[in-house]
Amino acid sequence: MILNPELNLTLRPMQYPEFFQLYKDSIKNIWTTDELDFSIDFEHLRDKVSPQEAHLIKRLVAFFATADNIVAHNLVLNFYKHVNSPEYRMFLGKQLFDEMLHVETYLLLVDNYIPDMEERREAFDAYKNIPSVKRKADFCFKYMDSIEKLDKLDTEEKQRQFIENLVCFAACVEGLFFFGSFAYVYYLRNKGLLPGLATATNWVFRDETMHIEGAMKALAAIKSEYPHLFDAKLEKRIHTMIEEALEVEMAFCSDALSFGVTGLSPALMYEYLQYVADQRLVQLGFAKKYKAKNPFTFMVLQDVQPLTNFFEKKVTEYQKGFEAKGTSVVFDEAF
Ligand SMILES: [Fe+2]
Ligand SMILES: [Fe+2]
Protein backbone atom coordinates (compact mmCIF):
# COMPACT_ATOMS: atom_id res chain seq x y z
CA MET A 1 0.00 0.00 0.00
CA ILE A 2 1.38 3.33 -1.08
CA LEU A 3 0.87 5.16 2.23
CA ASN A 4 2.10 2.25 4.33
CA PRO A 5 4.60 3.60 6.91
CA GLU A 6 6.95 0.59 6.53
CA LEU A 7 9.79 1.34 4.11
CA ASN A 8 9.33 -0.41 0.77
CA LEU A 9 12.54 -0.98 -1.21
CA THR A 10 11.26 -3.68 -3.57
CA LEU A 11 11.52 -2.93 -7.27
CA ARG A 12 10.84 -6.51 -8.41
CA PRO A 13 8.09 -7.40 -8.83
CA MET A 14 7.39 -3.81 -9.73
CA GLN A 15 4.29 -2.51 -8.05
CA TYR A 16 4.06 0.92 -9.65
CA PRO A 17 5.45 0.69 -13.22
CA GLU A 18 3.73 3.98 -14.12
CA PHE A 19 6.07 5.87 -11.76
CA PHE A 20 9.11 4.05 -13.13
CA GLN A 21 8.03 4.98 -16.66
CA LEU A 22 7.64 8.61 -15.58
CA TYR A 23 11.16 8.51 -14.15
CA LYS A 24 12.42 7.11 -17.48
CA ASP A 25 10.59 9.87 -19.36
CA SER A 26 11.86 12.57 -17.01
CA ILE A 27 15.53 11.69 -17.42
CA LYS A 28 15.19 12.35 -21.15
CA ASN A 29 14.65 16.00 -20.20
CA ILE A 30 18.12 17.11 -19.17
CA TRP A 31 19.40 20.64 -19.52
CA THR A 32 21.89 22.85 -17.75
CA THR A 33 22.07 26.56 -17.02
CA ASP A 34 25.20 26.83 -19.21
CA GLU A 35 22.83 27.08 -22.15
CA LEU A 36 21.09 30.17 -20.79
CA ASP A 37 21.96 33.69 -21.88
CA PHE A 38 20.43 36.73 -20.19
CA SER A 39 22.58 39.35 -21.96
CA ILE A 40 19.82 40.56 -24.32
CA ASP A 41 17.41 40.71 -21.39
CA PHE A 42 19.80 43.08 -19.64
CA GLU A 43 19.71 45.41 -22.67
CA HIS A 44 15.91 45.24 -22.77
CA LEU A 45 15.66 46.09 -19.07
CA ARG A 46 17.88 49.11 -19.68
CA ASP A 47 16.36 50.39 -22.95
CA LYS A 48 13.02 48.84 -23.81
CA VAL A 49 11.00 47.92 -20.74
CA SER A 50 8.39 50.44 -19.50
CA PRO A 51 8.31 51.38 -15.78
CA GLN A 52 5.02 49.45 -15.47
CA GLU A 53 6.58 46.35 -17.00
CA ALA A 54 9.66 46.82 -14.81
CA HIS A 55 7.45 46.59 -11.72
CA LEU A 56 5.84 43.39 -13.00
CA ILE A 57 9.30 41.90 -13.73
CA LYS A 58 10.53 42.87 -10.28
CA ARG A 59 7.65 40.98 -8.68
CA LEU A 60 8.25 37.93 -10.90
CA VAL A 61 11.91 37.83 -9.94
CA ALA A 62 10.95 38.15 -6.27
CA PHE A 63 8.63 35.15 -6.58
CA PHE A 64 11.09 33.05 -8.58
CA ALA A 65 13.98 33.83 -6.20
CA THR A 66 12.79 31.38 -3.53
CA ALA A 67 9.77 29.48 -4.89
CA ASP A 68 11.61 26.40 -6.20
CA ASN A 69 13.52 26.06 -2.96
CA ILE A 70 10.24 25.89 -1.06
CA VAL A 71 9.00 23.20 -3.45
CA ALA A 72 12.27 21.25 -3.07
CA HIS A 73 12.05 21.50 0.70
CA ASN A 74 8.57 20.01 0.75
CA LEU A 75 9.57 17.33 -1.72
CA VAL A 76 12.35 16.07 0.53
CA LEU A 77 10.55 16.45 3.85
CA ASN A 78 7.13 15.17 2.84
CA PHE A 79 6.70 13.62 -0.62
CA TYR A 80 9.84 11.48 -0.31
CA LYS A 81 9.00 10.48 3.23
CA HIS A 82 5.38 9.49 2.87
CA VAL A 83 4.86 8.13 -0.67
CA ASN A 84 6.04 4.60 -0.03
CA SER A 85 7.02 3.53 -3.54
CA PRO A 86 10.66 3.07 -4.57
CA GLU A 87 9.60 3.79 -8.17
CA TYR A 88 8.10 7.13 -7.19
CA ARG A 89 11.20 7.96 -5.15
CA MET A 90 13.28 7.46 -8.31
CA PHE A 91 11.09 10.04 -10.03
CA LEU A 92 11.41 12.37 -7.02
CA GLY A 93 15.20 12.09 -7.27
CA LYS A 94 15.04 13.53 -10.78
CA GLN A 95 12.49 16.12 -9.69
CA LEU A 96 14.83 17.28 -6.93
CA PHE A 97 17.59 17.68 -9.53
CA ASP A 98 15.18 19.71 -11.67
CA GLU A 99 14.26 21.95 -8.74
CA MET A 100 17.93 22.62 -8.03
CA LEU A 101 18.37 23.58 -11.71
CA HIS A 102 15.44 25.96 -11.35
CA VAL A 103 16.95 27.42 -8.19
CA GLU A 104 20.21 27.94 -10.07
CA THR A 105 18.37 29.41 -13.08
CA TYR A 106 16.62 32.00 -10.95
CA LEU A 107 19.83 32.75 -9.07
CA LEU A 108 21.35 33.62 -12.46
CA LEU A 109 18.26 35.68 -13.20
CA VAL A 110 18.64 37.69 -9.98
CA ASP A 111 22.37 38.21 -10.64
CA ASN A 112 21.74 39.40 -14.20
CA TYR A 113 18.64 41.49 -13.63
CA ILE A 114 19.63 43.15 -10.34
CA PRO A 115 23.16 44.63 -10.28
CA ASP A 116 22.73 46.15 -6.82
CA MET A 117 23.67 43.80 -3.94
CA GLU A 118 21.17 45.29 -1.51
CA GLU A 119 18.34 44.87 -4.03
CA ARG A 120 19.41 41.27 -4.61
CA ARG A 121 19.10 40.61 -0.91
CA GLU A 122 15.65 42.18 -0.95
CA ALA A 123 14.61 39.80 -3.76
CA PHE A 124 15.59 36.82 -1.63
CA ASP A 125 13.75 38.29 1.36
CA ALA A 126 10.60 38.99 -0.66
CA TYR A 127 8.88 35.89 0.69
CA LYS A 128 9.08 37.55 4.10
CA ASN A 129 8.73 41.24 3.23
CA ILE A 130 6.71 41.82 0.05
CA PRO A 131 3.09 41.10 1.06
CA SER A 132 1.90 39.61 -2.26
CA VAL A 133 4.92 37.26 -2.46
CA LYS A 134 4.73 36.49 1.26
CA ARG A 135 1.10 35.42 0.90
CA LYS A 136 2.12 32.80 -1.64
CA ALA A 137 4.93 31.52 0.58
CA ASP A 138 2.67 31.50 3.65
CA PHE A 139 0.15 29.43 1.72
CA CYS A 140 2.89 26.84 1.07
CA PHE A 141 4.12 26.92 4.67
CA LYS A 142 0.61 26.44 6.01
CA TYR A 143 0.31 23.07 4.25
CA MET A 144 3.91 22.15 5.14
CA ASP A 145 3.61 23.07 8.81
CA SER A 146 0.36 21.16 9.18
CA ILE A 147 2.20 17.84 8.57
CA GLU A 148 5.65 18.76 9.84
CA LYS A 149 5.27 16.64 12.97
CA LEU A 150 3.80 13.63 11.16
CA ASP A 151 6.32 10.82 11.33
CA LYS A 152 3.95 8.06 10.34
CA LEU A 153 0.66 8.26 8.50
CA ASP A 154 -0.97 5.85 10.96
CA THR A 155 -4.43 7.41 11.11
CA GLU A 156 -6.90 8.35 8.40
CA GLU A 157 -6.79 12.00 9.43
CA LYS A 158 -2.99 12.04 9.02
CA GLN A 159 -3.33 10.39 5.62
CA ARG A 160 -5.85 13.04 4.57
CA GLN A 161 -3.52 15.80 5.78
CA PHE A 162 -0.75 14.40 3.61
CA ILE A 163 -3.09 14.22 0.62
CA GLU A 164 -3.79 17.93 1.17
CA ASN A 165 -0.06 18.61 1.14
CA LEU A 166 0.29 16.75 -2.18
CA VAL A 167 -2.64 18.61 -3.71
CA CYS A 168 -1.32 21.93 -2.40
CA PHE A 169 2.06 21.57 -4.10
CA ALA A 170 0.86 19.87 -7.31
CA ALA A 171 -2.34 21.75 -8.05
CA CYS A 172 -1.79 25.08 -6.32
CA VAL A 173 1.95 25.81 -6.12
CA GLU A 174 3.46 24.16 -9.20
CA GLY A 175 0.08 23.97 -10.92
CA LEU A 176 -1.22 27.51 -10.37
CA PHE A 177 1.33 29.91 -8.85
CA PHE A 178 4.02 28.92 -11.35
CA PHE A 179 1.64 28.85 -14.28
CA GLY A 180 0.47 32.37 -13.44
CA SER A 181 4.07 33.56 -13.52
CA PHE A 182 4.77 31.72 -16.78
CA ALA A 183 1.85 33.58 -18.39
CA TYR A 184 3.43 36.95 -17.51
CA VAL A 185 6.74 35.81 -18.99
CA TYR A 186 5.07 34.71 -22.23
CA TYR A 187 3.11 37.94 -22.41
CA LEU A 188 6.48 39.75 -22.34
CA ARG A 189 7.95 37.33 -24.86
CA ASN A 190 5.00 38.08 -27.16
CA LYS A 191 6.09 41.71 -27.08
CA GLY A 192 9.60 40.65 -28.06
CA LEU A 193 10.99 41.17 -24.56
CA LEU A 194 13.35 39.14 -22.36
CA PRO A 195 14.35 36.21 -24.61
CA GLY A 196 16.66 34.76 -21.94
CA LEU A 197 13.87 34.47 -19.40
CA ALA A 198 11.54 33.09 -22.10
CA THR A 199 14.00 30.32 -22.97
CA ALA A 200 14.54 29.44 -19.30
CA THR A 201 10.78 29.39 -18.83
CA ASN A 202 10.29 26.99 -21.75
CA TRP A 203 12.47 24.48 -19.98
CA VAL A 204 11.17 25.07 -16.47
CA PHE A 205 7.62 24.93 -17.81
CA ARG A 206 8.20 21.49 -19.25
CA ASP A 207 9.75 20.22 -16.02
CA GLU A 208 6.91 21.60 -13.92
CA THR A 209 4.33 19.97 -16.18
CA MET A 210 6.00 16.64 -15.51
CA HIS A 211 6.23 17.27 -11.75
CA ILE A 212 2.50 17.97 -11.66
CA GLU A 213 1.86 14.80 -13.64
CA GLY A 214 3.94 12.79 -11.14
CA ALA A 215 2.10 14.10 -8.10
CA MET A 216 -1.27 13.62 -9.82
CA LYS A 217 -0.33 10.00 -10.58
CA ALA A 218 0.64 9.52 -6.93
CA LEU A 219 -2.71 10.94 -5.88
CA ALA A 220 -4.50 8.63 -8.33
CA ALA A 221 -2.69 5.62 -6.81
CA ILE A 222 -3.63 6.75 -3.30
CA LYS A 223 -7.23 7.20 -4.40
CA SER A 224 -7.45 3.70 -5.88
CA GLU A 225 -5.93 2.08 -2.79
CA TYR A 226 -7.69 4.21 -0.17
CA PRO A 227 -10.98 5.33 -1.77
CA HIS A 228 -12.56 5.85 1.67
CA LEU A 229 -10.16 8.74 2.38
CA PHE A 230 -11.70 10.80 -0.41
CA ASP A 231 -14.93 11.54 1.36
CA ALA A 232 -17.09 14.64 0.92
CA LYS A 233 -15.23 16.42 3.71
CA LEU A 234 -11.82 15.98 2.05
CA GLU A 235 -13.22 17.01 -1.32
CA LYS A 236 -14.58 20.18 0.27
CA ARG A 237 -11.19 20.89 1.85
CA ILE A 238 -9.50 20.48 -1.53
CA HIS A 239 -11.97 22.78 -3.28
CA THR A 240 -11.56 25.39 -0.53
CA MET A 241 -7.76 25.15 -0.88
CA ILE A 242 -7.87 25.72 -4.65
CA GLU A 243 -10.25 28.65 -4.15
CA GLU A 244 -7.79 30.13 -1.64
CA ALA A 245 -4.85 29.57 -4.02
CA LEU A 246 -6.74 31.53 -6.69
CA GLU A 247 -7.28 34.39 -4.24
CA VAL A 248 -3.61 34.39 -3.24
CA GLU A 249 -2.49 34.40 -6.88
CA MET A 250 -4.92 37.20 -7.69
CA ALA A 251 -3.50 39.29 -4.83
CA PHE A 252 -0.09 38.82 -6.46
CA CYS A 253 -1.62 39.83 -9.80
CA SER A 254 -3.13 43.02 -8.34
CA ASP A 255 0.30 43.96 -7.02
CA ALA A 256 2.26 42.95 -10.15
CA LEU A 257 -0.12 44.87 -12.43
CA SER A 258 -0.76 47.71 -9.99
CA PHE A 259 0.67 50.33 -12.35
CA GLY A 260 -1.21 48.95 -15.35
CA VAL A 261 0.38 46.97 -18.18
CA THR A 262 -1.06 47.36 -21.69
CA GLY A 263 -2.85 44.23 -22.88
CA LEU A 264 -2.79 42.49 -19.52
CA SER A 265 -5.47 43.12 -16.89
CA PRO A 266 -6.36 41.45 -13.59
CA ALA A 267 -9.69 40.42 -15.18
CA LEU A 268 -7.89 38.57 -17.98
CA MET A 269 -5.46 36.98 -15.53
CA TYR A 270 -8.37 35.85 -13.37
CA GLU A 271 -9.97 34.20 -16.38
CA TYR A 272 -6.69 32.49 -17.25
CA LEU A 273 -6.10 31.29 -13.68
CA GLN A 274 -9.64 29.92 -13.48
CA TYR A 275 -8.98 28.10 -16.74
CA VAL A 276 -5.80 26.57 -15.25
CA ALA A 277 -7.58 25.73 -11.97
CA ASP A 278 -10.16 23.79 -13.97
CA GLN A 279 -7.37 21.76 -15.58
CA ARG A 280 -6.09 20.89 -12.12
CA LEU A 281 -9.56 19.92 -10.88
CA VAL A 282 -9.95 17.60 -13.87
CA GLN A 283 -6.50 16.08 -13.20
CA LEU A 284 -7.64 15.46 -9.62
CA GLY A 285 -10.71 13.64 -10.89
CA PHE A 286 -13.24 16.41 -10.22
CA ALA A 287 -15.54 18.27 -12.59
CA LYS A 288 -14.57 21.67 -13.96
CA LYS A 289 -15.79 24.41 -11.65
CA TYR A 290 -15.07 27.71 -13.36
CA LYS A 291 -15.58 26.78 -17.02
CA ALA A 292 -13.36 29.66 -18.10
CA LYS A 293 -11.68 29.78 -21.51
CA ASN A 294 -8.00 30.52 -22.01
CA PRO A 295 -8.07 34.24 -22.89
CA PHE A 296 -4.39 34.42 -23.88
CA THR A 297 -3.67 33.70 -27.53
CA PHE A 298 0.04 34.15 -26.76
CA MET A 299 -0.16 31.03 -24.59
CA VAL A 300 -1.29 29.04 -27.63
CA LEU A 301 2.08 29.84 -29.19
CA GLN A 302 3.57 28.10 -26.19
CA ASP A 303 2.62 24.75 -27.73
CA VAL A 304 5.00 25.09 -30.66
CA GLN A 305 7.44 27.76 -29.58
CA PRO A 306 10.29 25.60 -28.30
CA LEU A 307 10.45 23.82 -31.65
CA THR A 308 10.71 27.05 -33.63
CA ASN A 309 12.50 29.10 -31.05
CA PHE A 310 12.84 32.48 -32.69
CA PHE A 311 14.93 33.88 -29.88
CA GLU A 312 17.51 31.20 -29.43
CA LYS A 313 20.84 31.70 -31.07
CA LYS A 314 22.20 28.31 -30.07
CA VAL A 315 20.83 24.92 -30.97
CA THR A 316 20.51 23.03 -27.74
CA GLU A 317 20.45 19.38 -26.88
CA TYR A 318 17.26 19.92 -24.95
CA GLN A 319 15.21 18.74 -27.92
CA LYS A 320 15.60 15.21 -26.56
CA GLY A 321 12.32 15.36 -24.67
CA PHE A 322 10.47 16.39 -27.80
CA GLU A 323 11.94 13.63 -29.91
CA ALA A 324 10.86 11.19 -27.29
CA LYS A 325 7.33 12.39 -26.93
CA GLY A 326 6.35 13.81 -30.29
CA THR A 327 5.69 17.35 -31.35
CA SER A 328 2.63 18.36 -29.37
CA VAL A 329 3.98 16.98 -26.09
CA VAL A 330 3.25 17.89 -22.54
CA PHE A 331 1.89 21.40 -23.09
CA ASP A 332 -1.35 19.98 -24.42
CA GLU A 333 -2.34 18.81 -20.99
CA ALA A 334 -2.31 22.22 -19.44
CA PHE A 335 -3.27 24.31 -22.43
FE1 LIG B 1 10.63 24.04 -10.12
FE1 LIG C 1 8.57 21.50 -9.75
Side-chain angles (χ1 to χ4, degrees):
M1 300 285 272
I2 196 159
L3 295 183
N4 195 329
E6 284 164 33
L7 182 63
N8 177 10
L9 297 171
T10 305
L11 281 161
R12 292 284 183 232
M14 193 170 278
Q15 214 181 335
Y16 301 100
E18 70 270 31
F19 299 147
F20 183 72
Q21 188 54 48
L22 203 61
Y23 160 75
K24 295 289 285 174
D25 291 343
S26 75
I27 57 171
K28 288 174 190 144
N29 276 341
I30 302 280
W31 55 281
T32 72
T33 57
D34 296 344
E35 297 166 81
L36 292 173
D37 181 359
F38 291 109
S39 57
I40 301 173
D41 294 31
F42 187 74
E43 289 169 24
H44 286 178
L45 289 169
R46 193 186 54 206
D47 304 328
K48 280 192 167 180
V49 161
S50 71
Q52 294 84 353
E53 288 160 351
H55 175 74
L56 163 63
I57 293 161
K58 196 173 172 186
R59 287 295 182 264
L60 286 176
V61 173
F63 167 67
F64 285 138
T66 49
D68 289 272
N69 248 331
I70 295 175
V71 170
H73 203 63
N74 188 66
L75 189 159
V76 172
L77 294 183
N78 296 315
F79 284 18
Y80 202 96
K81 182 171 170 187
H82 295 303
V83 181
N84 197 14
S85 148
E87 305 90 343
Y88 191 64
R89 290 192 178 106
M90 290 174 81
F91 172 73
L92 289 179
K94 171 57 168 56
Q95 182 178 344
L96 185 60
F97 169 72
D98 292 341
E99 301 302 358
M100 291 305 107
L101 265 183
H102 303 170
V103 167
E104 192 194 343
T105 297
Y106 296 126
L107 172 63
L108 268 176
L109 189 76
V110 168
D111 287 351
N112 277 275
Y113 279 29
I114 310 176
D116 183 79
M117 282 304 285
E118 180 58 22
E119 284 182 33
R120 282 183 193 170
R121 200 185 54 76
E122 281 171 18
F124 281 104
D125 282 345
Y127 80 98
K128 292 185 277 189
N129 297 330
I130 295 177
S132 65
V133 179
K134 181 177 187 299
R135 249 186 103 173
K136 294 215 260 195
D138 286 348
F139 179 85
C140 301
F141 293 140
K142 180 168 88 174
Y143 288 98
M144 279 166 77
D145 293 349
S146 64
I147 62 165
E148 191 192 18
K149 302 223 159 51
L150 296 189
D151 256 345
K152 285 181 191 248
L153 303 184
D154 49 11
T155 69
E156 289 188 5
E157 180 51 26
K158 289 177 187 175
Q159 290 169 335
R160 287 195 182 95
Q161 281 179 288
F162 174 62
I163 290 167
E164 283 186 280
N165 177 277
L166 259 173
V167 173
C168 169
F169 278 85
C172 302
V173 181
E174 296 184 306
L176 199 71
F177 294 171
F178 272 95
F179 272 66
S181 291
F182 296 156
Y184 297 115
V185 172
Y186 288 131
Y187 162 82
L188 293 164
R189 176 187 68 183
N190 196 42
K191 294 182 84 176
L193 294 171
L194 311 183
L197 178 57
T199 300
T201 302
N202 288 339
W203 300 347
V204 174
F205 185 113
R206 189 164 359 156
D207 294 342
E208 295 305 346
T209 302
M210 200 168 262
H211 302 165
I212 294 164
E213 191 187 339
M216 291 297 182
K217 276 190 158 65
L219 280 160
I222 295 169
K223 200 169 186 173
S224 80
E225 291 179 28
Y226 308 80
H228 59 281
L229 293 177
F230 290 77
D231 57 7
K233 218 171 128 194
L234 179 67
E235 287 191 12
K236 191 161 184 291
R237 275 153 65 173
I238 290 172
H239 277 89
T240 305
M241 182 202 302
I242 292 176
E243 192 67 36
E244 191 191 343
L246 265 175
E247 265 175 47
V248 169
E249 186 57 31
M250 278 310 295
F252 178 81
C253 172
S254 302
D255 177 8
L257 301 181
S258 57
F259 297 106
V261 171
T262 314
L264 203 56
S265 67
L268 281 174
M269 270 311 287
Y270 190 48
E271 209 180 322
Y272 174 70
L273 292 170
Q274 286 181 316
Y275 166 78
V276 177
D278 266 346
Q279 312 298 308
R280 302 301 167 238
L281 285 168
V282 169
Q283 283 177 302
L284 288 164
F286 299 121
K288 286 184 183 177
K289 183 175 174 185
Y290 304 101
K291 302 187 176 67
K293 292 216 160 32
N294 184 355
F296 293 142
T297 48
F298 58 81
M299 293 306 281
V300 177
L301 182 67
Q302 173 58 24
D303 288 347
V304 292
Q305 199 274 340
L307 296 175
T308 55
N309 197 333
F310 49 82
F311 278 132
E312 272 187 293
K313 302 280 188 289
K314 285 182 279 188
V315 177
T316 75
E317 285 298 309
Y318 195 56
Q319 304 287 334
K320 282 176 198 163
F322 283 93
E323 287 162 14
K325 285 210 150 198
T327 50
S328 58
V329 280
V330 274
F331 302 117
D332 289 348
E333 270 181 31
F335 293 94

